[in-house]
Amino acid sequence: MHNVLVTGGSRGIGLAIATRLAGAGYNVIAVARRETEELAAAVRASEKRLHFRACDLAVIDAIPAFAKLVRDEFGAIYGLVNNAGLGTEGLLATMHNSEIEALVQLNVLSPIILTKYIARHMMADGAGRIINISSIIASTGYNGLSVYGATKAAATGFTRSLAREVGKLGITVNAIAPGFIDTELTHNLSDEGRKRIAGRSALRRLPDTEDVARMVEYLLGEGGRNVTGTVFTIDAGNTA
Amino acid sequence: MSVRLKVTEAIKQIAKEQHVTLPELTDGLSLHETGFDSLAFAILVARLEDELGVDPFTISEDAAFPATVGDFVRAYENVPA
């Protein structure tokens, strides 16, 4: 069965993706710094289709060895879902430089380096699917999310050019841009703010983690065969 | 099989897959003249990592890729154990 690596797989969108893919018959390796209760429960319920492997992706120098370790243990990696990320909010003028750096490092540098080490084996194998989790903030604006928005725009730019680079080897590269979804990453948003965003959305509601997980499943499956270099917005019509 | 032989075998195998006609592989041959494009080199480095268990270009602090076939082979031969 195809191996799929899901970063940030212990919580939120990543956990929903990992759980759904394991249920769909993929062999899923969920990567995070620590295993959460929720992920441990999903691993137990998965009949050995879902595995947790610890890696702090912010430590760039550890990524090549981690990629090798996963490949040595599980074999060829068919799918890579770059989902891990920080959602640090802050006005640019007052954000600490270390916060800005950490955000760019984990949201931009880490997935690019991890993709390098996973993708070149996909190239040697002649098949693979890469999915980068971006955000609608990559193409729209939101107060207090300028650095986060920059990192998510980086994800879509990376997606398009990499799709060109690896397409002739049968590898697809796509991005998903979710709108506001209730996870720990967006816990700072007040109930009122949440209602306001839902009210401004065409469908008058917020999307949930499962919607993103279904799109990932589609892109990994037969349906995604001829889809590459594009961005899928899942925002219940918030930016429509 | 020696490291040198493994490297040259991998080059020949990928040339076949990528429909590249290789000139004779001598140490002095520039990598540009092999007919390999950057994708073929990426595949080569990935295959050799599987086969030899090392990627000398990640370990190395020197960001430059070797210039000749000889330099490329030596990068694999001289990996610290």
Side-chain angles (χ1 to χ4, degrees):
Chain A
M1 195 15 88
H2 284 320
N3 288 313
V4 182
L5 198 64
V6 180
T7 71
S10 65
R11 295 181 292 179
I13 294 175
L15 177 62
I17 293 169
T19 310
R20 176 155 202 100
L21 295 181
Y26 291 96
N27 190 56
V28 181
I29 303 113
V31 185
R33 275 174 300 176
R34 283 179 295 275
E35 189 174 36
T36 57
E37 282 291 320
E38 294 87 338
L39 176 58
V43 167
R44 281 193 298 273
S46 72
E47 293 171 358
K48 298 191 173 154
R49 289 200 184 281
L50 177 54
H51 315 267
F52 165 70
R53 289 296 175 271
C55 181
D56 184 351
L57 296 168
V59 184
I60 301 293
D61 289 346
I63 293 177
F66 178 72
K68 185 168 185 329
L69 194 116
V70 169
R71 187 176 167 85
D72 287 348
E73 182 177 355
F74 295 96
I77 306 296
Y78 175 74
L80 169 63
V81 183
N82 284 310
N83 163 77
L86 287 168
T88 317
E89 277 180 61
L91 298 177
L92 181 64
T94 53
M95 262 176 103
H96 197 276
N97 290 355
S98 65
E99 282 182 310
I100 296 174
E101 200 176 324
L103 197 49
V104 173
Q105 175 130 332
L106 189 68
N107 290 16
V108 181
L109 197 55
S110 301
I112 289 176
I113 301 284
L114 179 64
T115 303
K116 171 186 166 181
Y117 285 94
I118 301 289
R120 61 190 197 175
H121 285 289
M122 291 177 174
M123 292 160 80
D125 299 335
R129 306 271 165 100
I130 298 167
I131 299 159
N132 298 311
I133 305 299
S134 178
S135 164
I136 57 167
I137 305 300
S139 52
T140 183
Y142 205 88
N143 183 36
L145 290 178
S146 62
V147 181
Y148 177 77
T151 69
K152 291 301 173 179
T156 60
F158 178 58
T159 295
R160 291 195 182 93
S161 284
L162 187 64
R164 290 265 171 201
E165 225 170 274
V166 298
K168 76 167 182 179
L169 294 166
I171 303 168
T172 71
V173 190
N174 291 287
I176 299 176
F180 282 92
I181 292 185
D182 276 325
T183 66
E184 281 175 53
L185 198 115
T186 55
H187 70 278
N188 280 339
L189 198 65
S190 63
D191 268 350
E192 202 182 311
R194 207 168 270 125
K195 277 188 194 129
R196 204 171 55 234
I197 290 165
R200 273 202 246 119
S201 303
L203 294 170
R204 300 288 187 273
R205 58 181 180 241
L206 298 179
D208 60 38
T209 56
E210 203 54 30
D211 299 320
V212 178
R214 282 171 196 271
M215 180 59 83
V216 171
E217 187 185 357
Y218 164 78
L219 288 169
L220 288 174
E222 263 308 285
R225 199 165 72 89
N226 283 324
V227 179
T228 196
T230 195
V231 182
F232 294 87
T233 300
I234 304 180
D235 66 350
N238 185 256
T239 55
Chain B
M1 214 194 298
S2 70
V3 169
R4 170 173 291 267
L5 201 55
K6 281 182 179 164
V7 173
T8 50
E9 282 305 309
I11 293 175
K12 286 176 188 163
Q13 176 64 30
I14 290 163
K16 206 191 290 174
E17 289 167 18
Q18 299 287 315
H19 310 291
V20 172
T21 311
L22 282 175
E24 193 193 341
L25 290 177
T26 58
D27 272 8
L29 184 71
S30 151
L31 289 179
H32 290 296
E33 290 163 350
T34 57
F36 271 31
D37 60 8
S38 54
L39 275 184
F41 280 114
I43 295 171
L44 178 61
V45 172
R47 288 262 175 86
L48 288 172
E49 187 185 0
D50 267 356
E51 195 160 330
L52 305 172
V54 287
D55 170 8
F57 310 109
T58 290
I59 300 167
S60 164
E61 292 189 356
D62 183 0
F65 203 72
T68 66
V69 169
D71 292 343
F72 186 83
V73 170
R74 275 188 289 278
Y76 282 91
E77 286 175 335
N78 298 336
V79 170

